[in-house]
Amino acid sequence: MRLTTRGRYAVTALLDLALQTSQQESAVSLSDIAKRQSISISYLEQLFSKLRKRGLVTSIRGAAGGYHLAKPIDEIDVMSIISAVDESVDAMQCGGRGDCQSGTMCLTHDLWCALSNHVEQYLKNITLAQLLDMEHVQSVSDRQHLSFPKETSMKDINTITLSTSEANPA
């Protein structure tokens, strides 16, 4: 069994989104998530397209656009995120078909089947809310914010421009 970067990045990105949503009202941009988590923005766009289709996130277009979680954090489990991006936690070489050894069931089929079921159940029982409460999540998030402070928004630029023009009328 191997969870690829697709599943890992999807969980990481949604946890980041959950952290940001708890700290601000505005939508969170993929570029901000990409910077904090060192994930390619084009890769995040692909993941978020799938997450949006599965109803885990909603998007807002425009200058102040970005993403919000579509459900409360205690209703989004890790397995749903992994499944939404077409990932699995299947430890069986046969994918459960029982044809793992030259078309027939192998000696350890039941072991790998049980492991797959156990991992899937574990991930179904872990929500974003529970991840937010884990020991190191907040300290890592704080470190990431110090390393990658939020970019100046268009609203901030407009405010600065307006303030400057009001101070020096022609």
Side-chain angles (χ1 to χ4, degrees), residues 76-97:
I76 300 176
D77 64 84
V78 173
M79 194 64 218
S80 295
I81 299 167
I82 291 170
S83 296
V85 295
D86 303 322
E87 191 75 9
S88 78
V89 291
D90 188 359
M92 298 175 283
Q93 288 182 329
C94 65
R97 294 180 308 276

Side-chain angles (χ1 to χ4, degrees), residues 59-76:
S59 62
I60 299 171
R61 293 181 180 220
Y67 287 86
H68 288 284
L69 293 172
K71 300 176 181 181
I73 58 175
D74 61 346
E75 292 179 20
I76 300 176

